């Protein structure tokens, strides 16, 4: 198992937060996927925002978060908006 910080877009603070919600390796993040990881983070760290979700998606797909396709960003924004409406 590798270090989360070896993944694109994942710094020490994001890795710490992910570990706090049970995601402590690149394999676990990839298995969970960006949306599930964000959902878990949002429950423990309500201040996480859409940019965190973009960063997670970029980490899982191996892209810079600001280079995600527009369609992907729209899907992720819809998911984030759904969570804001009171699901978490």
């Amino acid at each position: 198992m590798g270090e989360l910080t070896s993944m694109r877009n994942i710094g020490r603070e994001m890795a710490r937060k992910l570990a706090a919600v049970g995601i402590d390796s690149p394999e676990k993040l990839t298995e969970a996927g960006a949306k599930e990881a964000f959902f878990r983070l949002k429950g423990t760290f309500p201040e996480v925002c859409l940019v965190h979700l973009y960063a997670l998606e970029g980490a899982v797909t191996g892209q810079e978060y600001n280079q995600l396709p527009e369609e992907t960003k729209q899907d992720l924004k819809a998911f984030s908006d759904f969570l804001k409406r009171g699901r978490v």
Side-chain angles (χ1 to χ4, degrees), residues 16-73:
R16 182 190 68 76
K17 288 178 178 176
L18 286 167
V21 297
I23 300 171
D24 58 5
S25 70
E27 295 81 9
K28 286 184 181 179
L29 178 54
T30 301
E31 183 180 313
K35 289 179 180 178
E36 173 64 23
F38 184 73
F39 178 78
R40 292 189 204 177
L41 286 173
K42 197 77 168 155
T44 302
F45 304 98
E47 75 280 1
V48 295
C49 66
L50 182 59
V51 174
H52 291 90
L53 180 54
Y54 288 171
L56 291 166
E57 180 68 19
V60 169
T61 60
Q63 311 176 66
E64 292 296 330
Y65 75 92
N66 57 359
Q67 297 295 314
L68 295 172
E70 192 59 38
E71 183 177 310
T72 299
K73 289 194 282 188

